[in-house]
Amino acid sequence: MNKLYIYDCATNKLRGSVAGAISLGNTPEDNCVVSSEAQRLGVMMLKGAAYTFYPNPTVGPYTLNGEQRTGSFSPQSNTLYMLAIGGAMLLVAHGSEGIMQSFGQLQADKWMILDETRNEWCEPVSLSKIASLGDSVPDTAFCILCGLNDSYCLYRDLLALAKRMHPVRAAEAASSAPMPDPSRTRADILKGGPKEDAKPKEDMPTIDEENGEYTCPVCWLKFDAGSVMSIASHPDLMGDDILGRDSMKRFWATRFNSRGQALDEKGVPCTDLACPHCRRKLPPNYLNTEEYIFSIVGAPSSGKSYYLASLVNGMRRSSVADCRLAWLDADPSGNTMLNDVVNRLFSSDTPEDAALTKTDLEGALYEEFYRHGRMAKLPKPFIYSIQKMGSRKSPCNLVFYDNAGEHFEPGRNSEDSPGAQHVAVANGIFFLFDPITSRPFKKLISGKNDPQLHTGHHLDQQEIILAETLNRIAGILNLRPGRKIKTPLAMVIGKCDLWEEFLDTPLVPMMHEGAISSKALEHNSATVRRFMEKLHPSLCSTADMISTNVRFFAVSQLGTSPVTFKDPITGVSKIGPDPNQLAPRRICDPTYWVLSQISQDFVAIR
């Protein structure tokens, strides 16, 4: 039978077990305690022939092979993983006894750090030496234990372990370190980036942020093709004057090869482009692909993550049959996080595996980039491509964001954290309404046996958030009072499996023979709107004040009520979807309609 092996990098001890649960503690003595109860950092649970790691949510994010994560993960058989969590550094693997040979090659307490400026590994050092180095090494530098090939950790996690194991050395390093410049932020100091009031260098061209053929999918500022930057390829060109020493140099190209590729100053061809404002890497074929930004707006915990995951899954499965629209992954590396969520939701076996955590305000779905002279937290874009089957027209990109709902609240729209300003440049806006937080809805469906109705009081601020969306768009675009935008606004009323039976007339299928039926569209929208006007009339009037083009949609992200389960870490009861019962309803209809408003070459209305 396969065993689970855990190597503790603090004590250099290897333990193996076939127990049903192995809990991970926070001291060298109990990092690998075999136990029937979860404790402290997390637990490895045996399910069938495989293990799944569940982190303790109170500990915070952890790092797996150098990548920050928050949810559970299931290690592949006979594969080594470097797990850094809560100050512990563990090598984890499960498989046959043959995996023991990998642990036999390890050289205890000998760590190599990648010198990114020269793209070379430094000489092996001990944890004691790392404690003495302190913060002199970039916190995102890759580190590896001698004897490993590809199970990395980040320097910041290794330093945390070194400080715990050698506190005296760490204290000496801290006391002898130079005082930081008080005018610089912590992120600037760690990244070697600009001061908070950094200004462009004199040789940096002035680029119009409001006019241009292209809109950056990250910072939402505009530019022309001639302003795009290239990203250096030669390893000696690591370090950018804005993003810091951990990023490859960005530059305006002056030399090109016969293929039209920019050459960096070392003469190496460069294939990647960057936005001239935030300098974030642009998606593949960006300059040759039309792009449309879709903003999903909603209150905290309104189900935006479930909606987006269900939408991606639905478009993959149904768009060709519904309207001969091919759905492709335009940026597989950038979409990894969302694709993982889709797989978790629709490929899991149990509710505890399928349940999604709340989107953190500035968690893993956000990145720090340069915007308006300072570093700001911006949501990662998820970019997918669509193309009409049989058409000669090039594919187009659709850009989605999974914002924390708090970013839509009044007072959150600061320059330091402009996380939801994409609503002002969007080609389509989707407002997701959650009936569970609405008092009139809860009164209407009180007889339903749904655990969401008994999870305590939730503040219903959805009408406030829609009004804030109106103010935000008007402020960014400098609209006169009463002026509306023409952007299609889809009012998506979620979880319709709970309330659709209360409509005054049944809804009908919207898609017919590869196109939208105009009669079905208007019938469904009017039916849902009449229903909403009885329960939330001001929501409907606010929507009309935002856009001249509004439609209402009844959607169920999951198609069924969630179930109650016990968290394997804390034992606390939680709710989550049963992956075996998922049956989303009309999840793609709002997207089809918005695409039809952009161009009927995508989706026709008849």
Side-chain angles (χ1 to χ4, degrees), residues 125-151:
V125 294
S126 64
L127 286 175
S128 175
K129 177 63 175 178
I130 291 170
S132 300
L133 291 175
D135 296 327
S136 62
V137 177
D139 64 347
T140 55
F142 281 107
C143 305
I144 194 167
L145 186 62
C146 289
L148 292 177
N149 291 322
D150 53 10
S151 299

Side-chain angles (χ1 to χ4, degrees), residues 459-479:
L459 180 65
D460 184 9
Q461 52 183 339
Q462 298 181 96
E463 295 186 7
I464 296 174
I465 286 178
L466 186 61
E468 173 63 17
T469 302
L470 168 63
N471 292 335
R472 197 167 295 186
I473 293 172
I476 295 174
L477 299 181
N478 195 26
L479 299 179

Side-chain angles (χ1 to χ4, degrees), residues 529-540:
R529 178 170 185 134
R530 287 195 301 272
F531 180 67
M532 290 299 295
E533 285 177 337
K534 295 177 182 178
L535 300 178
H536 284 274
S538 62
L539 191 83
C540 302

Side-chain angles (χ1 to χ4, degrees), residues 301-337:
S301 301
S302 60
K304 293 184 296 299
S305 296
Y306 282 115
Y307 175 78
L308 187 53
S310 187
L311 172 63
V312 170
N313 184 70
M315 292 295 286
R316 285 176 178 171
R317 294 175 176 270
S318 306
S319 60
V320 172
D322 286 344
C323 50
R324 293 190 56 77
L325 200 65
W327 177 273
L328 308 170
D329 197 331
D331 187 13
S333 60
N335 295 341
T336 298
M337 190 172 298

